[in-house]
Amino acid sequence: MSRRFQTAGPCRPGIDYMIPASSRLPEVPGLVDQEGYFVVHAPRQTGKTTTLQALADELTARERYAAVLFSCEVGRAARDDYGRAARGILQVIREAAEDALPTELRPPQWPDAPDETLLGTALRAWARVCPRPLVLFFDEIDALRGQSLLSVLSQLRNGYRGRPSQFPASVALCGLRDVRDCHPRNRFAIPRDPGAAAGGDPSRLGTSSPFNIKLESLRLGDFAPDEVAELYGQYTADTGQEFTPAAVGRAYELTAGQPWLVNALAREIVVKLAVPASAPITVDHLEQAKERLILARATHLDSLAARLAEPRVRRIVQPLLAGDLIQLDPYDDDLAYTRDLGLIAPKNPVRIANPIYREVIVRVLTSQVEANVVADPRSFVRSDGRFDFQLLLREFAEFWIEHGDVLTSTEHYHEVAPQLVLMGFLQRVVNGGGYVEREYGVGAGRIDLLVRWPYTDQDGKRRWQREALELKVWHPGKANPLCQGLTQLDRYLDRLGLDAGTLILFDRRPGIADITERTQFDTATTPAGCAVTLLRA
């Protein structure tokens, strides 16, 4: 059976295409050799479990260690019942050891012990009889809550001095976040005030050093460009079907190497689009797969999208959409939190992690608008197959006059509500055959949009119509941004190689029904804003 691109769980050697674990976390063998206790963290579905399982198998295969990966997910339901959580974890450890280790390395019967020391006593008993040093990977450690999490960390810390003969030689805690980072309901916590639980939330640990014996904190990164090429090259070696170099480059550009997205794009192409094996996979196939993934809102994308309603995520994403600077409280970890979720790129400047997430965020936030647009997308297609862009501007002006107040008043992302209304309208009418590409980011002061519409010219050749827009807002107490917007639009057009574009300026000053400043440019004015068409000589 040929291998496949996995998107529904950990990859399995020989069954799924995968990148060798040694290249993804090369530091782990060295930390184990140092008898280190360490942390591995990364966003969901980046390959943590796949990589850690491969590392555990490799360590055991060297006949030097007894290494086991197991999940703490079983302890989620126990909440603060740390005895119940410990018994569940010990049962999972036993089952994982039976699957991964030869008989002589497996744990003995767990000894009786009080709930407070149950886990530590059991691990101590196993380490004493195991002929090799124990290496334990606690996957999904952040599934544990409150006192259960504190109990596990405390018992590991208490047994640490006895390693390697009296306690596991090396332990890795694996989850979404670093141990030092926390947030309400579940994660590890750092208090705002000395001696107090962070924010007064009783579900937080209330300690700044719950695992102060850690040697390192490793973040599992996304695929590098050569790893994307390697993964797709494995498919080519198996099937003979090539991903063109341009297609591989576009895959990395769209995903920034996010492992689930890299696999999902490829799976969409080879399974869903079913491109014939005799044909190479091209950039056009990548574009189709991207659009299908976004429209389908697969579980991975949907779970990220659900985070947008969280206030701490909104505090980071809303300024990015608006192009404003992000105001960060030094005691808040909202930025670290959104980075750990994978929504924000791990390095500065602050930006959405990849173009697919950037598109998903806007699609989610504009879905209400799209549902209220009754305009027929086909009415915007001219007889020559081109898109009637001027009609779109006129139709949107009417839509905004009639519905703008209602749609912006119910928008959670209030600071960017006008821009979201326009993008929702645009998506609804262009989605019949074209694409909308969006650029936004911290400090930009605008949203840049590019509409790409395919059509066939008189010679029967496929062409692309491209229309550029820039969205800006005139905020109360701020100077008229019209001139700045036209300058920014001009630079955007230079970058795109276009001669004309449209600036849409929303006036949010209270009591202003019209923009009184006039320029030499043609304007289409509405009660709450205007569109300016820039014609370059």
Side-chain angles (χ1 to χ4, degrees), residues 178-227:
D178 193 345
V179 177
R180 71 173 186 273
D181 299 327
C182 348
H183 69 85
R185 299 189 310 275
N186 185 1
R187 314 301 180 200
F188 313 103
I190 297 175
R192 293 172 183 266
D193 301 310
D201 191 322
S203 68
R204 293 180 179 242
L205 294 180
T207 172
S208 60
S209 56
F211 196 58
N212 59 3
I213 53 176
K214 71 173 182 179
L215 186 61
E216 294 282 351
S217 180
L218 308 177
R219 189 183 196 277
L220 183 64
D222 294 323
F223 290 156
D226 60 333
E227 290 177 317

Side-chain angles (χ1 to χ4, degrees), residues 271-531:
V271 176
K272 300 295 184 66
L273 292 177
V275 177
S278 58
I281 294 171
T282 67
V283 170
D284 281 347
H285 296 131
L286 265 295
E287 296 292 349
Q288 293 177 54
K290 175 206 74 172
E291 192 66 18
R292 288 168 61 97
L293 278 182
I294 292 171
L295 289 175
R297 286 269 295 276
T299 301
H300 171 80
L301 298 178
D302 219 26
S303 62
L304 281 177
R307 300 283 190 171
L308 296 174
E310 297 181 15
R312 63 193 323 193
V313 173
R314 185 166 64 243
R315 285 195 290 269
I316 300 299
V317 173
Q318 182 165 256
L320 280 177
L321 282 165
D324 294 335
L325 298 177
I326 297 175
Q327 303 296 320
L328 296 175
D329 186 317
Y331 293 103
D332 284 338
D333 70 342
D334 294 345
L335 180 56
Y337 175 61
T338 51
R339 278 179 166 154
D340 287 342
L341 290 176
L343 275 171
I344 301 298
K347 296 181 180 179
N348 290 328
V350 180
R351 63 194 186 280
I352 303 301
N354 57 66
I356 291 180
Y357 288 178
R358 191 166 63 216
E359 182 66 16
V360 168
I361 287 170
V362 172
R363 296 283 186 96
V364 170
L365 297 178
T366 61
S367 58
Q368 178 192 7
V369 177
E370 285 194 63
N372 284 284
V373 177
V374 297
D376 184 357
R378 293 171 298 180
S379 66
F380 294 89
V381 183
R382 302 191 320 206
S383 59
D384 62 359
R386 294 172 64 89
F387 189 81
D388 194 333
F389 197 71
Q390 294 305 313
L391 175 61
L392 178 144
L393 295 177
R394 293 194 298 270
E395 291 275 347
F396 175 72
E398 295 177 7
F399 180 82
W400 177 255
I401 292 171
E402 186 172 356
H403 305 294
D405 287 345
V406 174
L407 292 174
T408 56
S409 66
T410 59
E411 177 56 58
H412 293 298
Y413 281 65
H414 186 68
E415 293 301 314
V416 287
Q419 300 98 306
L420 292 174
V421 171
L422 185 142
M423 287 190 287
F425 184 92
L426 186 65
Q427 188 63 46
R428 172 73 176 90
V429 299
V430 171
N431 199 38
Y435 302 94
V436 182
E437 297 177 1
R438 312 164 211 270
E439 295 183 20
Y440 54 85
V442 63
R446 65 191 185 278
I447 298 177
D448 291 326
L449 306 175
L450 177 64
V451 177
R452 297 192 301 118
W453 183 267
Y455 69 98
T456 303
D457 67 11
Q458 294 179 343
D459 298 327
K461 295 182 178 180
R462 193 185 192 208
R463 304 288 187 186
W464 286 95
Q465 176 187 353
R466 296 191 301 159
E467 304 284 353
L469 298 92
E470 184 168 295
L471 313 184
K472 288 187 73 69
V473 174
W474 191 347
H475 291 286
K478 301 290 185 179
N480 183 352
L482 182 59
C483 292
Q484 181 192 44
L486 292 171
T487 300
Q488 292 169 334
L489 176 60
D490 193 55
R491 293 171 181 165
Y492 185 45
L493 295 175
D494 280 341
R495 184 153 54 87
L496 296 173
L498 295 178
D499 293 325
T502 301
L503 168 67
I504 296 183
L505 178 62
F506 291 96
D507 186 356
R508 302 201 74 176
R509 296 174 299 165
I512 305 296
D514 194 1
I515 292 181
T516 56
E517 291 82 354
R518 298 294 181 181
T519 73
Q520 66 271 33
F521 301 108
D522 296 331
T523 61
T525 305
T526 74
C530 74

Side-chain angles (χ1 to χ4, degrees), residues 53-336:
Q53 183 63 66
L55 285 167
D57 293 343
E58 290 174 11
L59 289 168
T60 300
R62 294 177 186 174
E63 299 185 355
R64 183 176 175 184
Y65 299 103
V68 178
L69 168 73
F70 55 91
S71 174
C72 298
E73 185 76 24
V74 68
R76 183 186 299 277
R79 302 184 70 85
D80 284 330
D81 187 345
Y82 47 83
R84 179 184 170 195
R87 285 187 288 273
I89 291 172
L90 288 173
Q91 179 60 31
V92 171
I93 291 176
R94 177 173 297 282
E95 292 171 356
E98 290 174 353
D99 292 339
L101 300 178
T103 303
E104 66 273 14
L105 301 180
R106 295 172 187 171
Q109 184 71 29
W110 300 129
D112 292 331
D115 286 353
E116 292 82 358
T117 62
L118 189 60
L119 178 67
T121 300
L123 297 183
R124 178 182 174 87
W126 187 12
R128 282 178 164 179
V129 301
C130 187
R132 299 184 198 171
L134 292 176
V135 179
L136 302 183
F137 294 92
F138 285 70
D139 199 12
E140 301 289 345
I141 185 67
D142 43 6
L144 300 178
R145 298 167 181 259
Q147 295 304 311
S148 292
L149 176 58
L150 184 59
S151 176
V152 168
L153 297 178
S154 298
Q155 291 179 72
L156 291 177
R157 187 168 54 204
N158 185 60
Y160 175 76
R161 292 171 297 173
R163 75 197 197 288
S165 59
Q166 305 292 320
F167 210 67
S170 183
V171 167
L173 302 185
C174 317
L176 182 70
R177 309 204 68 192
D178 193 345
V179 177
R180 71 173 186 273
D181 299 327
C182 348
H183 69 85
R185 299 189 310 275
N186 185 1
R187 314 301 180 200
F188 313 103
I190 297 175
R192 293 172 183 266
D193 301 310
D201 191 322
S203 68
R204 293 180 179 242
L205 294 180
T207 172
S208 60
S209 56
F211 196 58
N212 59 3
I213 53 176
K214 71 173 182 179
L215 186 61
E216 294 282 351
S217 180
L218 308 177
R219 189 183 196 277
L220 183 64
D222 294 323
F223 290 156
D226 60 333
E227 290 177 317
V228 176
E230 179 183 349
L231 192 74
Y232 288 178
Q234 293 174 18
Y235 171 80
T236 299
D238 280 359
T239 66
Q241 186 174 32
E242 179 192 12
F243 281 81
T244 66
V248 175
R250 182 58 175 160
Y252 181 77
E253 182 182 350
L254 289 172
T255 64
Q258 203 286 330
W260 186 91
L261 291 177
V262 171
N263 278 277
L265 284 175
R267 183 179 183 275
E268 196 71 27
I269 291 169
V270 303
V271 176
K272 300 295 184 66
L273 292 177
V275 177
S278 58
I281 294 171
T282 67
V283 170
D284 281 347
H285 296 131
L286 265 295
E287 296 292 349
Q288 293 177 54
K290 175 206 74 172
E291 192 66 18
R292 288 168 61 97
L293 278 182
I294 292 171
L295 289 175
R297 286 269 295 276
T299 301
H300 171 80
L301 298 178
D302 219 26
S303 62
L304 281 177
R307 300 283 190 171
L308 296 174
E310 297 181 15
R312 63 193 323 193
V313 173
R314 185 166 64 243
R315 285 195 290 269
I316 300 299
V317 173
Q318 182 165 256
L320 280 177
L321 282 165
D324 294 335
L325 298 177
I326 297 175
Q327 303 296 320
L328 296 175
D329 186 317
Y331 293 103
D332 284 338
D333 70 342
D334 294 345
L335 180 56

